[in-house]
């Protein structure tokens, strides 16, 4: 049996006629950048995220850079983020001209360890970027308290956490801004690149919009970029937004089922999802003994898995000048060697999931 990690084609088949029609409408209408579709998208996404403003853009990496620039963060500033994430969470800090300061993670969630943040705050610290990795939100009460105590900005990297919540609070509701990616594999994915920022702050909204639009085309001194969402991606996202909550529910059931099926497999630790957290299971990462050998065994049996991530950010060559040391990030280092993301997508069938689990059990027996 073959079990892919994710099956974008399978999902397309379930909504094919609506998607095809939406794309055709854009092409026939002739407005392929901006316009009604993009406007609709911003309105719907803001509504669903329970926030006032949504600014669409080309991808989730631009969204982080634009959020930093909108807050005026640059040379001489420090920005705190997690040791374990996708490269963009930290590379955009460098791109903005500031210095990323990394914090180790919590082994049970893979998220930034909020107890370790305060030690890293200096008089140069301007902001914290918590990353809601795997679809699970960081404790935003802890983050809010730290930001209030030290007068820091907060940008939530929510690229993996569309419609996630923490004690009923969604990304951006306890921070200055939240950034999203609609990369095709994300829980809400376009069929190409797309991203956005959401915020309740009117001034930040204006600022972000200008930054996506050539910095207002030279009408002020601002240095901007061209980062737009095209109308076809917006039309696709508008269709998908009708289904995304259902898909997230399906992923939650699959995650629950993995939790149950893997009870008793001593070599595997399933992800801990605290009940007050509205986990959306972008991924389902387990920690396991002999991770690399298990991954190899699964490949040989047709099961695709991925590692999120096979590096820790502080030790990447890109950040070499910061002289980060492995011993300062022992938990992230351990997590990176033990974690493995199992196949999870709404269309994953029970018999496929049973097969994944039986391959894991075979490996350890
Ligand atoms: C996907 C992702 C990004 C980047 O988004 P792109 O749209 O690919 O630029 C940033 N941060 C995290 C945590 C991500 O998972």
């Amino acid at each position: 049996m073959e079990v892919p990690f994710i099956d974008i084609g399978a999902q397309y088949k379930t909504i094919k006629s609506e998607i095809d029609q939406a794309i055709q409408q854009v092409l026939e209408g002739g407005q392929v950048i901006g316009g009604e579709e993009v406007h609709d998208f911003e309105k719907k996404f803001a509504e669903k995220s329970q926030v006032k403003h949504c600014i669409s853009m080309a991808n989730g990496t631009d969204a982080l850079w634009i959020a930093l620039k909108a807050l005026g963060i640059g040379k001489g500033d420090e920005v705190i983020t997690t040791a374990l994430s996708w490269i963009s969470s930290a590379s955009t800090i460098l791109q903005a001209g500031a210095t990323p300061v990394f914090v180790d993670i919590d082994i049970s969630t893979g998220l930034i360890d909020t107890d370790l943040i305060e030690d890293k705050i200096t008089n140069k610290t301007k902001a914290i970027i918590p990353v809601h990795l795997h679809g699970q939100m960081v404790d935003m009460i802890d983050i809010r308290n730290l930001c209030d105590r030290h007068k820091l900005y907060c940008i939530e990297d929510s690229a993996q956490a569309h419609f996630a919540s923490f004690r009923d609070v969604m990304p951006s509701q306890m921070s200055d801004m939240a950034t999203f990616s609609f990369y095709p594999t994300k829980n809400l994915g376009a069929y190409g690149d797309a991203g956005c920022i959401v915020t309740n702050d009117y001034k930040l909204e204006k600022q972000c919009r200008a930054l996506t639009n050539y910095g207002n085309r030279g009408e002020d001194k601002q240095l901007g970029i061209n980062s737009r969402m095209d109308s076809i991606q917006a039309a696709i996202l508008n269709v998908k937004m009708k289904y995304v909550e259902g898909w997230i529910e399906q992923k939650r059931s699959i995650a629950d089922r993995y939790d149950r099926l893997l009870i008793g497999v001593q070599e595997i630790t399933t992800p801990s999802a605290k009940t007050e957290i509205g986990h959306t299971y972008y991924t389902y990462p387990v920690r396991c003994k002999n991770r690399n050998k298990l991954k190899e065994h699964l490949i040989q049996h047709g099961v695709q898995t991925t590692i999120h991530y096979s590096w820790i950010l502080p030790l990447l060559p890109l950040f070499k000048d910061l002289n980060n040391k492995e011993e300062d990030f022992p938990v992230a280092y351990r997590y990176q060697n033990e974690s493995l993301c199992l196949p999870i997508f709404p269309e994953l069938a029970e018999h496929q999931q049973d097969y994944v689990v039986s391959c894991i059990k075979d490996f350890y027996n």
Side-chain angles (χ1 to χ4, degrees):
M1 195 186 309
E2 296 288 322
V3 184
F5 182 66
I6 179 172
D7 193 342
I8 288 169
Q11 182 168 86
Y12 169 60
K13 280 188 202 134
T14 68
I15 49 173
K16 182 177 181 328
S17 61
E18 269 185 279
I19 292 282
D20 292 359
Q21 200 189 347
I23 293 173
Q24 211 176 334
Q25 254 171 21
V26 172
L27 295 177
E28 283 167 1
Q31 173 141 27
V32 293
I33 290 176
E36 198 186 332
E37 301 293 351
V38 172
H39 184 74
D40 271 4
F41 164 79
E42 290 183 340
K43 198 160 157 268
K44 285 195 185 115
F45 191 79
E47 254 166 43
K48 266 191 192 299
S49 300
Q50 298 173 25
V51 57
K52 281 190 199 143
H53 311 288
C54 168
I55 309 101
S56 59
M57 49 198 73
N59 59 69
T61 305
D62 282 0
L64 283 162
W65 180 82
I66 286 169
L68 287 160
K69 294 312 280 182
L71 292 169
I73 290 168
K75 207 164 179 258
D77 298 334
E78 291 177 355
V79 178
I80 290 176
T81 193
T82 174
L84 190 82
S85 182
W86 176 245
I87 175 77
S88 309
S89 310
S91 60
T92 49
I93 299 171
L94 274 190
Q95 210 186 331
T99 304
V101 174
F102 295 101
V103 172
D104 207 1
I105 64 167
D106 176 336
I107 194 77
S108 68
T109 58
L111 304 174
I112 192 168
D113 186 336
T114 55
D115 291 338
L116 302 178
I117 294 176
E118 198 144 38
D119 274 355
K120 303 276 178 128
I121 295 174
T122 71
N123 56 9
K124 291 181 177 163
T125 310
K126 283 283 163 14
I128 304 177
I129 302 184
V131 181
H132 305 315
L133 208 64
H134 310 305
Q136 181 171 24
M137 282 181 68
V138 174
D139 186 327
M140 284 307 294
I141 295 169
D142 284 356
I143 300 282
R144 190 66 257 153
N145 285 337
L146 284 164
C147 288
D148 289 345
R149 253 205 316 280
H150 298 275
K151 300 211 168 3
L152 304 176
Y153 293 120
C154 177
I155 301 165
E156 296 169 73
D157 182 346
S158 316
Q160 304 188 3
H162 317 79
F163 318 118
S165 61
F166 176 83
R167 296 189 179 142
D168 294 330
V169 172
M170 294 174 81
S172 86
Q173 292 176 346
M174 291 181 82
S175 68
D176 297 284
M177 282 175 273
T179 64
F180 290 89
S181 163
F182 306 106
Y183 182 77
T185 64
K186 306 273 153 112
N187 278 357
L188 179 59
Y191 293 136
D193 279 307
C196 78
I197 292 175
V198 298
T199 181
N200 280 311
D201 185 315
Y202 175 74
K203 274 197 197 137
L204 285 175
E205 191 240 350
K206 287 280 158 285
Q207 189 64 6
C208 291
R209 250 185 229 291
L211 285 160
T212 65
N213 188 31
Y214 315 99
N216 272 340
R217 311 182 188 98
E219 282 169 18
D220 48 39
K221 272 201 276 179
Q222 178 147 262
L223 175 67
I225 56 174
N226 165 13
S227 182
R228 295 183 293 231
M229 182 185 286
D230 68 65
S231 320
I232 289 181
Q233 300 312 330
I236 289 163
L237 291 169
N238 287 340
V239 171
K240 287 192 167 195
M241 262 195 285
K242 293 195 258 176
Y243 302 99
V244 65
E245 277 120 344
W247 290 331
I248 289 169
E249 276 316 312
Q250 281 169 300
K251 288 182 93 168
R252 284 189 177 130
S253 312
I254 293 166
D256 274 355
R257 195 156 181 274
Y258 267 134
D259 286 350
R260 278 181 277 123
L261 294 172
L262 289 165
I263 288 174
V265 185
Q266 264 154 46
E267 295 86 350
I268 296 271
T269 309
T270 55
S272 95
K274 298 190 189 103
T275 48
E276 74 270 22
I277 290 175
H279 200 320
T280 56
Y281 292 101
Y282 168 58
T283 52
Y284 183 86
V286 295
R287 283 187 296 121
C288 45
K289 239 187 171 160
N290 263 327
R291 195 266 319 271
N292 292 348
K293 290 221 171 80
L294 171 63
K295 186 173 194 330
E296 192 49 45
H297 172 85
L298 292 172
I299 289 170
Q300 275 161 14
H301 290 81
V303 175
Q304 279 178 18
T305 57
T306 64
I307 299 170
H308 283 203
Y309 291 97
S310 51
W311 60 77
I312 68 168
L313 291 173
L315 301 185
L316 283 178
L318 183 62
F319 306 113
K320 197 164 166 285
D321 292 348
L322 303 175
N323 292 316
N324 292 310
K325 292 181 188 62
E326 188 183 306
E327 57 266 33
D328 292 333
F329 306 94
V331 183
Y333 192 71
R334 182 176 151 206
Y335 190 94
Q336 169 241 326
N337 282 311
E338 293 179 351
S339 77
L340 187 68
C341 298
L342 304 183
I344 187 165
F345 50 94
E347 301 76 19
L348 182 72
E350 285 193 359
H351 73 274
Q352 290 178 301
Q353 200 182 3
D354 292 339
Y355 177 70
V356 173
V357 172
S358 81
C359 290
I360 293 172
K361 287 184 175 167
D362 284 349
F363 174 75
Y364 288 118
N365 285 332

